[in-house]
């Protein structure tokens, strides 16, 4: 049985591809100009958010968690949103949580 050796160019290409793919997983969302449909969807407001959390029915819903984000059901048992003063900080915390989750999955 003979063992085939990989050529240096094949190994380098595989390493380069794996580095590019892993680097892309840490990039943020692509910046796109809003289209008319996304603007009209953002302008539409659904029913007002309930005063009680859907995730924890006995707990009050945090003020910044108004249902605007995907999957927002008012779940904040640690009280992180009590320490945040603006929506921009909430988005920054959300982005950090996504990045940390991606790192943990590696």
């Amino acid at each position: 049985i003979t063992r085939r050796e990989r050529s240096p160019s094949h190994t380098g290409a595989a390493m380069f591809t794996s580095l590019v793919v892993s680097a892309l997983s840490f990039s943020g969302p692509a910046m796109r100009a809003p289209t008319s449909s996304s603007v009209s969807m953002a302008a539409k407001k659904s029913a007002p958010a309930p005063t009680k959390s859907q995730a924890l029915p006995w707990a009050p819903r945090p003020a910044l968690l108004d249902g605007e984000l995907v999957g927002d059901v008012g779940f904040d048992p640690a009280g992180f949103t009590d320490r945040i003063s603006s929506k921009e900080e909430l988005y920054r915390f959300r982005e950090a949580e996504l990045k940390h989750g991606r790192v943990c999955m590696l």
Side-chain angles (χ1 to χ4, degrees):
I1 299 175
T2 62
R3 182 176 160 187
R4 294 187 331 182
E5 295 185 23
R6 293 184 178 176
S7 66
S9 63
H10 177 73
T11 304
M15 288 176 62
F16 177 74
T17 303
S18 66
L19 286 173
V20 168
V21 170
S22 64
L24 288 176
S25 66
F26 290 104
S27 65
M31 299 299 291
R32 291 183 275 150
T35 61
S36 61
S37 62
S38 64
V39 171
S40 63
M41 289 177 66
K44 294 179 185 177
K45 284 290 183 181
S46 60
T51 59
K52 294 287 187 183
S53 169
Q54 292 176 350
L56 304 170
W58 61 87
R61 183 181 195 96
L64 285 175
L65 298 179
D66 57 1
E68 181 180 320
L69 297 172
V70 175
D72 176 16
V73 291
F75 184 75
D76 185 24
F80 289 117
T81 55
D82 296 338
R83 300 178 203 121
I84 298 174
S85 60
S86 67
K87 281 283 191 180
E88 288 77 25
E89 282 186 283
L90 179 66
Y91 294 140
R92 188 174 55 83
F93 271 64
R94 177 179 172 245
E95 187 69 27
E97 183 177 359
L98 289 172
K99 286 185 180 183
H100 289 121
R102 291 173 183 163
V103 168
C104 288
M105 286 189 282
L106 292 177

